[in-house]
């Protein structure tokens, strides 16, 4: 598996949909995942050092995990199905921290791995937002990185992130609600920005969303 970091939020030039960019340790590959504006704001809030005046949904999730005596050990984005990324949250008892819990790809021996560890299915966007708040690592299977990654274009990334921030700055809450309602799929259609139809092939400097997948 490959430990990824959140490189930032970009904006698709054609659809104006936000994209979260996950970058590998070498800095040469990144996996773009298309998300919606609300998901992007949740991730940006996690990236910010300034706490919200009131707890947001993912702040509450993190607090509930802690109150339940658990800890988010890591997030794993493990596959792409029907052009959609799939992720799991790996939770362990809080007292297991520092008790020799094996890392991704390592084998456990004896009782090093708690029997009460949990795996919960999650949307990649929610998993990423929660990982940022709990300072938990984000892992991705190598085959997923190989299938979905694109070469890094740092200059284009910076420009796209700036465009998205300007878009948020120029959009009122009412306009954002209208935008999200217009983007809502019809009944019976695939829901979530994480399962958008295949986008046009990105041109030079454009991001390629989570298609194969989305978060």
């Amino acid at each position: 598996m490959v430990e990824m970091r959140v490189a930032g939020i970009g904006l698709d030039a054609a659809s104006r949909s936000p994209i979260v960019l996950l970058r590998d340790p070498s800095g040469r590959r990144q996996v773009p995942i298309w998300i919606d504006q609300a998901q992007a704001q949740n991730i940006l809030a996690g990236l910010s050092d300034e706490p919200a005046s009131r707890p947001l949904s993912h702040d509450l999730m993190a607090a509930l995990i802690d109150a339940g005596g658990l800890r988010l050990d890591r997030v794993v984005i493990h596959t792409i199905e029907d052009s959609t990324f799939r992720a799991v949250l790996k939770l362990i008892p809080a007292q297991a921290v520092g008790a020799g819990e094996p890392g991704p790809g390592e084998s456990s021996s004896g009782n090093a791995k708690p029997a009460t560890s949990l795996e919960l299915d999650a949307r990649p966007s929610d998993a990423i937002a929660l990982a940022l708040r709990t300072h938990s690592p984000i892992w991705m299977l190598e085959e997923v990185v190989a299938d979905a990654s694109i070469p890094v274009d740092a200059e284009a990334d910076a420009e796209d992130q700036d465009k998205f921030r300007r878009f948020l700055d120029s959009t009122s809450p009412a306009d954002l609600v209208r935008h999200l309602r217009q983007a809502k799929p019809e009944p019976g259609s695939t829901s979530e920005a994480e399962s958008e139809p295949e986008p046009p092939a990105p041109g030079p400097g454009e991001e390629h969303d989570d298609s194969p997948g989305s978060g």
Side-chain angles (χ1 to χ4, degrees):
M1 287 196 289
V2 182
E3 185 171 5
M4 309 292 282
R5 66 177 179 85
V6 179
I9 300 289
L11 190 65
D12 182 272
S15 66
R16 295 185 64 78
S17 295
I19 303 163
V20 58
L21 300 169
L22 300 180
R23 191 164 296 175
D24 74 359
S26 71
R28 294 193 298 268
R29 296 182 302 174
Q30 65 185 11
V31 176
I33 299 178
W34 275 329
I35 54 180
D36 64 28
Q37 277 80 10
Q39 293 164 344
Q41 288 180 313
N42 284 329
I43 292 172
L44 284 173
L47 287 169
S48 173
D49 292 331
E50 299 179 5
S53 57
R54 297 288 294 164
L56 301 176
S57 297
H58 294 86
D59 300 319
L60 177 60
M61 290 181 202
L64 288 172
I65 290 173
D66 184 61
L70 297 172
R71 170 181 176 266
L72 179 58
D73 183 51
R74 59 190 180 272
V75 164
V76 179
I77 301 173
H78 56 85
T79 192
I80 302 173
E81 295 177 357
D82 300 325
S83 298
T84 301
F85 285 107
R86 305 291 181 185
V88 295
L89 307 176
K90 290 187 175 287
L91 303 172
I92 61 173
Q95 64 268 24
V97 177
E101 173 70 4
E106 296 178 1
S107 60
S108 60
S109 59
N111 58 0
K113 186 173 183 178
T116 52
S117 61
L118 300 173
E119 280 193 12
L120 299 178
D121 188 35
R123 298 186 306 177
S125 55
D126 288 330
I128 291 168
L130 191 55
L132 290 170
R133 285 164 172 79
T134 57
H135 306 288
S136 304
I138 301 169
W139 292 84
M140 185 175 286
L141 263 63
E142 170 58 38
E143 51 264 39
V144 176
V145 178
D147 288 344
S149 64
I150 60 174
V152 170
D153 185 336
E155 184 176 340
D157 288 351
E159 181 179 351
D160 286 341
Q161 290 182 46
D162 185 57
K163 285 180 181 177
F164 180 65
R165 291 183 183 278
R166 290 202 305 269
F167 170 76
L168 288 180
D169 290 342
S170 63
T171 303
S172 68
D175 289 338
L176 184 59
V177 169
R178 283 195 294 270
H179 179 87
L180 292 174
R181 286 176 176 171
Q182 291 171 357
K184 186 176 180 180
E186 295 296 324
S189 64
T190 304
S191 64
E192 300 294 340
E194 296 169 32
S195 51
E196 292 190 9
E198 291 189 13
E206 289 186 21
E207 316 303 342
H208 185 282
D209 135 47
D210 72 350
S211 228
S214 73

